[in-house]
Amino acid sequence: MTTAMGAALRRIQLGNALSAFGNGFTVPFLFVYVAQVRDLGANTAGMVLATFAVAALAVLPFIGRVIDRRGPLSVVVAGAVAAAVGSMGLGLAASEPLVIAAAGVLGAGIAAVQPALATLIVWCSTPITRSRAFATQFFLGNLGLGVGGLLGGLLVDTSAASSFVRLFAIDAVMFLVLGAAVATVRLERTPVFDDPVPTVDERFGGSGGWRALLGHRAMVQLCALGFVMFFACYGQFESGLSAFAVDVARISPSMLGIALAANTAAIVLAQFVVLKLVERRRRSRVMALVGLVWMVAWCAAGAAGLIPGSQAVGVTAIISAYALFGLGEAMLSPTVAPLVADLAPPSALGQYNSAFALVKQLALAVGPAAGGLMAGAGLYGAYIVTLIVCSLGITALALMLGRRLTAEQDNPLRAVAGAAVPAPRAASSDKVATAA
């Protein structure tokens, strides 16, 4: 990786961290803001949260082709501007239609930014540095989100709508900072690769786009694995797991906040230690191990409510479960996104990133709904068993995926020269330049 590529990557990472910092000011307080501060009720607040998912699901099937045709830079800038408009709109909107419309714009903007940023990180890294680049993105994103949430909690005042306008304004500005940071990175629209690479048609014998992707069995298996991963972890944080912790384990809401902080702390503290342990391991084996770690986490959560004991035992078990989820997330960050990049033909990198983001969004839509329904019906024992089975399913699916991966895809450090997606270079030089 050249010095210029490193400088470009650092600029992208900084912009991403600052946008996460801005999100931290608003994400923890969005439901309370809509339901209580704007006095629109819990139903409208739920509709706002659902609108984020619907907007993302509407955008993601198409954004990948835009990234591949127009380049990720313009998509990140446009998405960041849309997200800034949506965030500021949420802060100023006082009626149900305006709040929902603003949420839709914000959700669409964030959905466009995520796969485009992933594509940029691939362009600005090499097979050797790619795992570290994605681990750094995940680390900085969680750190920014956590710090922003702490500062937002100090500024917020539920009796004054103006305090929330200030929070959303900060969020909007940080999105614009992300757009400005990425706009100053200068890359070729279509990268030139050192070696001839097959087009999508040549590689799969199809017509390109979604048809070609769906014909790529390893990618389809990775998407299925990703769905189960996101369903069994992220999709439960704000629905089934929190309901179980409060209703069955008798954890107070304040302790639940500490458990969420433990999840973030585990990621921030463990990320680079974990990276050193896993970056030379086979990716499929690392993902299989995550399934076992999360199985232990769900067993701990179940013990908090299903095994008689003191309140302290329940609190410890729930906090431990959230921390174990964080450990698993830290293992996945240098593993999954780089694997998507290495599976993708260079001409369809944006499409593959968008497809995986779509799978994630589907899981984040289905997971809370399923967890909420089971919690609402009081089926907590079945709920814990279901998630334990899902965790074991992660292990099984990861081992099956490993049989479809080449040695380079499963561990690119074994043969760097054979990596599927080499770093791009400018047509006339070997450098990627950044604006002064």
Side-chain angles (χ1 to χ4, degrees):
M1 184 170 66
T2 66
T3 301
M5 286 171 63
L9 182 58
R10 286 192 294 273
R11 194 168 295 191
I12 292 165
Q13 298 280 35
L14 177 62
N16 179 68
L18 290 174
S19 69
F21 173 72
N23 290 162
F25 280 87
T26 59
V27 170
F29 315 109
L30 183 58
F31 190 94
V32 172
Y33 166 72
V34 175
Q36 299 180 15
V37 178
R38 290 300 183 185
D39 198 25
L40 297 176
N43 288 336
T44 301
M47 290 178 64
V48 166
L49 296 176
T51 299
F52 286 122
V54 171
L57 292 175
V59 167
L60 285 170
F62 309 102
I63 202 67
R65 294 184 71 92
V66 177
I67 294 170
D68 291 326
R69 291 179 179 181
R70 301 291 183 183
L73 285 170
S74 58
V75 175
V76 172
V77 173
V81 171
V85 171
S87 185
M88 197 67 250
L90 274 173
L92 297 175
S95 65
E96 180 176 326
L98 290 177
V99 166
I100 292 174
V105 174
L106 176 58
I110 293 174
V113 165
Q114 290 175 344
L117 271 180
T119 303
L120 272 177
I121 290 173
V122 173
W123 280 18
C124 293
S125 61
T126 68
I128 295 176
T129 63
R130 194 160 295 145
S131 291
R132 184 166 293 272
F134 278 104
T136 301
Q137 181 199 29
F138 189 68
F139 166 81
L140 291 175
N142 278 276
L143 181 62
L145 191 67
V147 173
L150 289 174
L151 294 178
L154 297 176
L155 296 175
V156 73
D157 180 0
T158 56
S159 65
S162 60
S163 70
F164 284 87
V165 174
R166 186 161 56 245
L167 297 185
F168 282 103
I170 293 171
D171 191 23
V173 169
M174 291 299 104
F175 277 120
L176 294 177
V177 169
L178 169 63
V182 171
T184 59
V185 175
R186 297 291 179 254
L187 295 171
E188 290 294 314
R189 173 180 291 185
T190 303
V192 177
F193 295 89
D194 293 326
D195 300 310
V197 293
T199 64
V200 177
D201 291 347
E202 293 169 340
R203 188 159 181 172
F204 298 114
S207 59
W210 284 100
R211 179 180 174 183
L213 189 151
L214 292 174
H216 191 172
R217 292 188 177 181
M219 183 60 187
V220 171
Q221 281 190 238
L222 179 59
C223 287
L225 172 60
F227 181 88
V228 180
M229 284 179 175
F230 294 117
F231 176 91
C233 180
Y234 300 95
Q236 305 306 320
F237 277 4
E238 296 179 0
S239 60
L241 181 55
S242 58
F244 178 88
V246 173
D247 294 343
V248 179
R250 305 300 179 188
I251 304 300
S252 68
S254 62
M255 282 297 172
L256 190 58
I258 293 174
L260 287 167
N263 174 263
T264 301
I267 293 170
V268 171
L269 295 175
Q271 182 64 83
F272 292 106
V273 175
V274 168
L275 177 63
K276 287 186 177 182
L277 295 175
V278 306
E279 64 181 343
R280 295 187 178 276
R281 302 291 191 274
R282 292 175 60 180
R283 288 165 171 169
S284 59
R285 299 291 176 83
V286 173
M287 290 185 282
L289 180 58
V290 169
L292 297 180
V293 171
W294 285 355
M295 180 200 68
V296 175
W298 283 112
C299 288
L306 303 179
I307 297 178
S310 67
Q311 183 72 10
V313 171
V315 169
T316 301
I318 291 295
I319 292 176
S320 298
Y322 274 89
L324 285 170
F325 284 125
L327 178 61
E329 293 170 64
M331 295 167 67
L332 291 178
S333 63
T335 305
V336 176
L339 179 56
V340 173
D342 287 346
L343 288 174
S347 58
L349 179 58
Q351 183 85 48
Y352 274 54
N353 282 327
S354 295
F356 196 77
L358 177 62
V359 168
K360 176 181 179 179
Q361 195 59 53
L362 284 169
L364 294 181
V366 174
L373 287 173
M374 295 185 77
L379 301 174
Y380 287 113
Y383 173 75
I384 294 296
V385 171
T386 298
L387 273 301
I388 290 174
V389 171
C390 285
S391 299
L392 293 174
I394 291 171
T395 299
L397 289 170
L399 294 176
M400 291 171 59
L401 174 64
R403 292 197 288 268
R404 285 200 177 273
L405 301 178
T406 65
E408 294 82 6
Q409 290 166 345
D410 212 7
N411 186 346
L413 295 181
R414 291 181 177 180
V416 173
V421 187
R425 57 179 174 84
S428 59
S429 71
D430 291 330
K431 293 184 177 181
V432 178
T434 58

